[in-house]
């Protein structure tokens, strides 16, 4: 079926529904795969034949019809927050109770002796969700091919398809009682399925293709289920989840983000897997990415920055060309750690990006002097790992050598930006004041090659479990820094697991940053006033009285000895009186 024929059927069905309808109900009436529906809808919007509406899941109306119902006209962010609240309470408008399903998966996993932590739960849930997603997408792609009169060649064939081993059905559509379970299931997964999926990495396919990503993922994750009975229970639950609509993906993505957050909070370093989403959203609002620009995170972890940027850019009225640009030519990431890489790929898929451009690689192994114009990006958003340390041969890839991983990443990000490119980078606040050679030289390079226009000082507790204070550096490449605007974020409460950072905490920062106005929590520093020898950029609020300088260890000891001497003198006087 040609695109024009599909468009005619779309219009006819919409007319039959009264000239306007929700995307979910219209898609169900048409019986198309979600990707087909989105493509035809974008084509008709671009042609001016239909107009998008608002609300949960979105709606459309004929261009000459009355506008789609505006029952839900509040800001999109509030709509999303309310829908997330519904998910947390266990409700679901997508046809299956996803919150209950995730809870049931957790409960089943706790019974398996091979799974012991939130990290295990996240990893095992991820590879199972990925294979279920792949199966759903294979059905969609087959439907699309049939509409075009073509034959679809599936990525997975028997016996590795989901319906062959994970959820086989009888002729009447019920679960097959003879499906593998117990040791038979574990033996099949470990001995046949995973090795077969790993082999995709060895095939001669492009590194950005979905086939290669399948091989990459299963080269890094392993089945940790020890009981085939527990695995069978989990498979039956996962099989109830559907990726067939954008609404379903949205709800699943919210639940998956919650799982990543729990995993981050359970780890020794929460920031390694989870950056607070309100902070990410504020960073994106300052940079204001546009469709057609590329966005890069070289330490993408679970891809929180890329997913939030996707949510910022996607709209119901996107043309087919813009939709394709967002899907394939906008978001790029790299991640060194295996689990984080898998989480990132799955997180982007659940947010609606079918084949994420995330590579499993050590970003710092690339010599920054070899970066060419074709490798550069318009926007960099990142929260690189703190501390750590790379081997000497890796440090040789950077003009300013340092054992601090974040300093190497910052050099990489500066060189990854196009001229005029914009960046927002989270880094430890000590970067602004450390006096070691690497810190001073890196600050000097940043000021000379980029316009460091904004520094956001984050309060303690912004990152759960991190134990360090951080700042966000906002800069634009191509012109030296003349002055820098500082904002000291103060939510007026102690941040913690039960009282995390929220969007309201950052609203004033986002509003004031546009004009860089001065106030009790904001001020501007001229670079000409910065000490040229140290390039000290410390956060020093001029509107707050400076705290008394801390005493040196020697001063503390001298004070203690002086008090001891005074005490001894008083005791001697008391003794003389006895």
């Amino acid at each position: 079926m040609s695109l024009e024929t599909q468009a005619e059927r779309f219009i006819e069905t919409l007319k039959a529904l009264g000239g306007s309808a929700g995307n979910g109900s219209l898609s169900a009436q048409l019986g198309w795969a979600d990707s087909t529906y989105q493509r035809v809808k974008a084509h008709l919007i671009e042609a001016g034949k239909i107009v998008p509406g608002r609300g949960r899941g979105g709606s459309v109306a004929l261009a000459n019809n009355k506008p789609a119902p505006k029952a839900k006209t509040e800001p999109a962010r509030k709509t999303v927050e309310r829908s997330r609240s519904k998910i947390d309470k266990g409700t679901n408008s997508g046809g299956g109770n996803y919150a209950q399903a995730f809870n049931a998966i957790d409960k089943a996993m706790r019974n398996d002796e091979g799974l012991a932590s939130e990290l295990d739960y996240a990893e095992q849930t991820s590879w199972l969700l990925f294979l279920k997603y792949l199966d759903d997408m294979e059905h969609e792609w087959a439907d699309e091919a049939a509409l075009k009169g073509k034959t679809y060649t599936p990525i997975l064939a028997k016996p590795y398809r989901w319906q062959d081993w994970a959820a086989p059905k009888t002729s009447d559509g019920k679960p097959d009682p003879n499906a593998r379970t117990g040791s038979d299931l574990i033996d099949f997964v470990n001995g046949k399925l995973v090795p077969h999926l790993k082999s995709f990495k060895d095939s001669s396919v492009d590194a950005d293709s979905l086939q290669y990503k399948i091989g990459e993922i299963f080269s890094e994750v392993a089945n940790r289920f020890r009981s085939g009975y527990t695995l069978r229970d989990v498979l039956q639950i996962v099989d109830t989840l559907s990726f067939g609509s954008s609404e379903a993906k949205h709800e699943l993505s919210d639940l998956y983000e919650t799982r990543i957050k729990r995993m981050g909070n359970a780890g020794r370093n929460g920031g390694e897997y989870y950056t607070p989403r309100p902070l990410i959203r504020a960073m994106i609002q300052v940079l204001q990415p546009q469709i057609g620009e590329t966005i890069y995170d070289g330490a993408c972890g679970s891809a929180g920055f890329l997913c939030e940027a996707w949510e910022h850019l996607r709209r119901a009225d996107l043309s087919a060309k813009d939709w394709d640009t967002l899907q394939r030519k906008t978001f790029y990431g790299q991640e060194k750690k295996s689990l984080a890489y898998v989480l990132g790929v799955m997180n982007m898929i659940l947010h609606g990006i079918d084949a994420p451009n995330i590579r499993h690689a050590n970003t710092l192994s690339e010599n920054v002097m070899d970066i060419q114009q074709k490798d550069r990006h318009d926007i960099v958003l990142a929260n690189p790992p703190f501390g750590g340390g790379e081997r000497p041969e890796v440090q040789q890839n950077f003009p300013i050598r340092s054992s601090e991983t974040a300093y190497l990443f910052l050099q990489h990000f500066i060189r990854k930006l196009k001229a005029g490119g914009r960046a927002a980078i989270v880094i430890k606040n000590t970067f602004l004041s450390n006096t070691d050679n690497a810190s001073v030289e890196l600050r000097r390079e940043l000021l000379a090659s980029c316009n460091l226009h904004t520094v956001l000082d984050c309060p303690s507790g912004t990152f759960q479990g991190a134990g360090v204070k951080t700042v966000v550096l906002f800069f634009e490449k191509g012109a030296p820094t003349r002055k820098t605007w500082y904002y000291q974020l103060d939510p007026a409460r102690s941040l913690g697991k039960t009282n995390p950072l929220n969007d309201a905490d950052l609203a004033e920062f986002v509003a004031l940053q546009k004009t860089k106005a001065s106030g009790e929590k904001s001020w501007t520093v001229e670079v000409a006033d910065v000490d040229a020898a140290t390039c000290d950029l410390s956060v020093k609020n001029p509107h707050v009285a400076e705290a008394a300088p801390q005493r040196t260890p020697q001063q503390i000891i001298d004070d203690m000895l002086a008090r001891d001497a005074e005490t001894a003198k008083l005791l001697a006087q008391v003794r003389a009186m006895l």
Side-chain angles (χ1 to χ4, degrees):
M1 188 184 298
S2 69
L3 180 59
E4 289 306 320
T5 303
Q6 291 173 329
E8 289 176 8
R9 185 180 168 201
F10 190 107
I11 295 295
E12 289 172 1
T13 306
L14 187 56
K15 285 179 179 178
L17 292 173
S20 65
N23 286 320
S25 59
L26 180 54
S27 179
Q29 284 286 329
L30 290 164
W32 291 344
D34 186 56
S35 55
T36 302
Y37 177 84
Q38 295 292 345
R39 186 179 69 252
V40 178
K41 184 182 79 169
H43 168 71
L44 289 170
I45 290 173
E46 196 170 7
K49 294 183 179 180
I50 63 172
V51 293
R54 295 174 180 266
R56 174 75 172 138
S59 61
V60 291
L62 295 171
N64 58 356
N65 201 59
K66 292 181 179 179
K70 294 186 178 180
K72 299 179 181 179
T73 56
E74 59 191 358
R77 180 64 60 196
K78 291 184 179 179
T79 304
V80 171
E81 287 174 355
R82 188 168 66 241
S83 72
R84 287 179 177 171
S85 175
K86 288 181 181 178
I87 293 167
D88 292 339
K89 293 176 183 176
T91 62
N92 170 35
S93 58
N97 199 320
Y98 296 128
Q100 288 186 2
F102 267 60
N103 290 336
I105 289 171
D106 282 351
K107 184 176 180 180
M109 285 183 171
R110 292 190 190 101
N111 295 327
D112 194 284
E113 62 182 12
L115 309 175
S117 69
E118 290 286 352
L119 273 69
D120 290 334
Y121 302 159
E123 179 187 50
Q124 298 305 294
T125 303
S126 295
W127 73 262
L128 292 174
L129 285 175
F130 180 81
L131 290 179
K132 178 60 169 66
Y133 157 81
L134 180 60
D135 184 69
D136 283 4
M137 294 309 297
E138 292 243 64
H139 282 95
E140 282 197 17
W141 295 329
D143 291 343
E144 278 191 40
L147 286 170
K148 297 175 182 177
K150 298 180 180 179
T151 302
Y152 175 71
T153 302
I155 296 173
L156 297 183
K158 287 185 178 183
Y160 306 110
R161 300 175 304 174
W162 181 265
Q163 66 262 38
D164 296 327
W165 69 274
K169 302 287 195 300
T170 59
S171 58
D172 57 359
K174 295 181 179 180
D176 187 349
N178 298 316
R180 289 187 183 92
T181 191
S183 59
D184 288 343
L185 180 57
I186 296 296
D187 290 344
F188 172 78
V189 170
N190 293 341
K192 294 184 178 179
L193 177 67
V194 173
H196 174 70
L197 297 174
K198 280 183 181 180
S199 69
F200 282 84
K201 185 179 178 181
D202 300 327
S203 59
S204 57
V205 294
D206 185 77
D208 290 326
S209 68
L210 184 56
Q211 287 92 329
Y212 187 88
K213 286 179 172 59
I214 293 171
E216 188 76 71
I217 287 172
F218 286 92
S219 295
E220 303 304 333
V221 300
N223 168 45
R224 299 187 187 278
F225 285 91
R226 293 187 183 176
S227 167
Y229 299 102
T230 301
L231 177 55
R232 171 55 58 198
D233 290 342
V234 173
L235 287 170
Q236 289 177 347
I237 299 168
V238 173
D239 189 54
T240 66
L241 305 178
S242 170
F243 295 85
S245 70
S246 55
E247 290 89 345
K249 287 181 182 177
H250 180 82
E251 297 193 16
L252 282 167
S253 69
D254 283 322
L255 290 165
Y256 195 71
E257 286 263 353
T258 300
R259 181 177 290 275
I260 294 172
K261 183 177 182 180
R262 285 209 317 262
M263 186 191 73
N265 291 344
R268 291 186 297 274
N269 182 358
E272 181 177 346
Y273 295 105
Y274 190 83
T275 302
R277 296 317 187 238
L279 179 61
I280 294 177
R281 287 192 284 269
M283 293 163 67
I284 291 171
Q285 288 179 59
V286 170
L287 296 189
Q288 284 297 313
Q290 304 296 316
I291 293 176
E293 294 184 317
T294 58
I295 302 171
Y296 172 71
D297 183 354
C300 66
S302 57
F305 284 96
L306 300 177
C307 289
E308 286 295 336
W310 156 264
E311 294 294 342
H312 176 82
L313 288 169
R314 64 182 301 192
R315 303 190 310 272
D317 60 346
L318 288 177
S319 67
K321 180 181 178 182
D322 286 346
W323 181 263
D324 183 67
T325 296
L326 280 186
Q327 279 283 343
R328 299 173 51 243
K329 305 172 185 176
T330 300
F331 306 101
Y332 299 86
Q334 292 192 159
E335 174 54 42
K336 174 184 177 181
K337 295 194 173 182
S338 302
L339 176 56
Y341 167 76
V342 174
L343 295 174
V345 170
M346 196 66 232
N347 201 18
M348 291 187 74
I349 285 172
L350 287 174
H351 276 80
I353 301 171
D354 293 338
N357 291 316
I358 298 180
R359 293 194 174 189
H360 184 216
N362 181 0
T363 298
L364 302 182
S365 64
E366 178 182 8
N367 191 317
V368 295
M369 306 311 292
D370 293 336
I371 296 175
Q372 302 176 26
Q373 181 61 26
K374 64 180 179 64
D375 305 318
R376 296 190 170 96
H377 298 277
D378 299 288
I379 288 176
V380 172
L381 286 160
N383 173 20
F386 309 144
E390 293 289 341
R391 294 179 59 83
E393 60 267 25
V394 173
Q395 295 182 37
Q396 291 176 6
N397 293 324
F398 300 87
I400 301 174
R401 297 181 187 179
S402 172
S403 59
E404 169 56 65
T405 306
Y407 291 6
L408 303 181
F409 269 107
L410 185 54
Q411 294 178 69
H412 172 82
F413 292 142
I414 291 172
R415 286 162 177 80
K416 269 288 193 177
L417 277 177
K418 295 179 180 178
R422 309 174 314 276
I425 310 296
V426 180
I427 199 167
K428 285 195 296 186
N429 69 340
T430 52
F431 164 72
L432 300 175
S433 58
N434 281 350
T435 56
D436 60 283
N437 291 336
S439 299
V440 174
E441 285 303 312
L442 188 50
R443 289 196 297 270
R444 184 172 286 122
E445 178 184 336
L446 178 61
L447 294 177
S449 63
C450 302
N451 176 20
L452 177 64
H453 55 80
T454 301
V455 172
L456 170 63
D457 181 42
C458 299
S460 298
T462 298
F463 291 88
Q464 304 302 320
V468 297
K469 279 199 84 226
T470 57
V471 294
V472 183
L473 309 177
F474 296 86
F475 55 89
E476 183 174 326
K477 185 176 178 179
T481 306
R482 301 300 180 192
K483 57 185 178 181
T484 301
W485 182 73
Y486 288 76
Y487 183 91
Q488 199 163 37
L489 183 61
D490 180 12
R493 68 183 189 283
S494 296
L495 299 178
K497 289 184 181 179
T498 58
N499 198 10
L501 195 69
N502 59 50
D503 290 297
D505 294 329
L506 288 144
E508 183 183 74
F509 161 71
V510 173
L512 292 179
Q513 197 279 334
K514 296 175 183 176
T515 59
K516 300 181 176 57
S518 294
E520 291 184 1
K521 296 185 286 186
S522 58
W523 65 98
T524 298
V525 172
E526 300 284 342
V527 170
D529 297 331
V530 173
D531 187 318
T534 64
C535 283
D536 190 332
L537 300 174
S538 302
V539 176
K540 298 175 183 176
N541 190 339
H543 308 299
V544 177
E546 194 169 336
Q550 292 185 340
R551 294 175 296 168
T552 65
Q554 186 59 49
Q555 289 174 324
I556 294 173
I557 293 172
D558 290 343
D559 289 344
M560 292 174 65
L561 292 174
R563 282 196 294 272
D564 288 346
E566 185 176 352
T567 300
K569 182 178 179 181
L570 289 172
L571 288 173
Q573 291 175 350
V574 171
R575 184 179 290 110
M577 295 169 62
L578 296 177

